[in-house]
Amino acid sequence: MLVVSSVNVNGIRAAAGKGLAAWLATTPADVVCLQETRAQPEEVPAGLFDGWHARHAPSEVKGRSGVAILTRAEPGAARTGIDDDEFAGSGRYLEVDLPGVTVASLYLPNGTVGTPKQDEKDRFLARFAPYLALRRAKAAAEDREVLVCGDWNIAPEQADIRNWRGNVKNCGFLPHEREWLAALFGEGWVDVVRAQHPGVDGPYSWWSYRGRAFDNDTGWRIDHHVATPGLADRARSAVVERAPSHAERWSDHAPVTVVYGP
């Protein structure tokens, strides 16, 4: 069995004191993918990763982005970036090799319509799709599966946003973003959580801190496990570890945990 969790921590130093440390100390996960750490490795709170093997891909811009992967067992090779000069050092992608599977942590850019941020996101999408195709082909040649976990910042379907009608012109639910993700799924990549929860709204993984979004479960499903078919077929369960209450949240995202069978 392989248990993999993924969560955008919204700043690892702040999250550590709010509940991340306690969660890491009790999670049954074999692998934890973290996004938006916003910290250099030396800035991670002391003792937070005790008992884990940690690999980091921080952003060169301090206080922004950053991803990490924690594993119980010593991983093999680790690689950062998507083979693109613009996004080298951006702290958005990291992958490690484990026996029979490559696991990646992704923090895909979050754009804003009509601004350079959306242009940046669109450039990333254009360059990330070919990278994923290449990574999948290389993994297949090595008889390996691939799992890309993280904050994809795209809700694939209407069922993935509580208020989808009010967001059709907003970043994260734009038609061309959804079409891009649908194309990946059309090429054989599998949305593991949706496969485990067909025909239902959610389960949401992000709720704004504004208003009563969390209390009313007005959320978005943007944190995904995207896997090659062989690994997706091994998924036994997928849960969003939603906090019991607003006061007990340690991030605006919740961990998404999937159990993969042998």
Side-chain angles (χ1 to χ4, degrees):
M1 305 291 283
L2 179 68
V3 182
V4 182
S5 291
S6 181
V7 61
N8 179 320
V9 297
N10 197 20
I12 198 164
R13 286 167 287 187
K18 295 178 180 178
L20 172 60
W23 181 81
L24 282 175
T26 58
T27 178
D30 303 295
V31 180
V32 175
C33 297
L34 305 174
Q35 301 89 43
E36 209 171 355
T37 57
R38 301 183 197 165
Q40 301 299 309
E42 63 274 14
E43 295 175 320
V44 174
L48 183 63
F49 293 161
D50 284 356
W52 298 91
H53 298 277
R55 298 293 182 269
H56 303 264
S59 171
E60 292 176 349
V61 180
K62 295 196 68 174
R64 292 194 59 192
S65 304
V67 293
I69 300 178
L70 312 180
T71 58
R72 301 286 188 184
E74 181 78 31
R79 295 170 293 273
T80 62
I82 59 172
D83 293 341
D84 183 89
D85 289 343
E86 178 182 357
F87 296 103
S90 64
R92 295 197 175 276
Y93 186 83
L94 167 69
E95 62 187 29
V96 300
D97 290 339
L98 297 169
V101 61
T102 294
V103 179
S105 182
L106 167 70
Y107 179 44
L108 198 147
N110 182 19
T112 302
V113 174
T115 73
K117 287 186 176 182
Q118 186 65 46
D119 296 336
E120 177 191 17
K121 182 176 185 178
D122 291 344
R123 290 194 303 273
F124 188 95
L125 296 180
R127 296 163 190 175
F128 190 41
Y131 177 84
L132 286 177
L134 180 62
R135 167 51 53 210
R136 183 177 175 184
K138 287 182 176 178
E142 299 170 355
D143 195 25
R144 304 174 64 81
E145 303 291 345
V146 182
L147 174 62
V148 183
C149 296
D151 182 356
W152 287 69
N153 268 315
I154 301 173
E157 304 169 358
Q158 294 175 1
D160 299 312
I161 303 183
R162 177 71 176 272
N163 179 25
W164 68 267
R165 290 181 179 84
N167 285 285
V168 292
K169 296 183 179 180
N170 290 333
C171 177
F173 201 61
L174 296 173
H176 76 273
E177 296 174 337
R178 295 163 59 206
E179 289 168 5
W180 178 88
L181 196 52
L184 286 186
F185 298 151
E187 293 167 2
W189 294 93
V190 179
D191 180 347
V192 176
V193 175
R194 175 54 68 211
Q196 291 289 307
H197 296 274
V200 301
D201 291 341
Y204 309 126
S205 60
W206 175 83
W207 304 263
S208 172
Y209 277 128
R210 297 177 180 177
R212 297 180 59 84
F214 183 80
D215 294 335
N216 296 330
D217 200 21
T218 306
W220 293 49
R221 193 178 72 88
I222 55 175
D223 301 275
H224 308 307
H225 284 230
V226 176
T228 46
L231 182 63
D233 287 346
R234 291 162 44 190
R236 300 294 179 262
S237 66
V239 298
V240 175
E241 299 184 45
R242 191 179 189 273
S245 69
H246 187 282
E248 295 170 88
R249 302 173 72 189
W250 42 266
S251 172
D252 51 352
H253 296 251
V256 180
T257 302
V258 178
V259 176
Y260 297 92

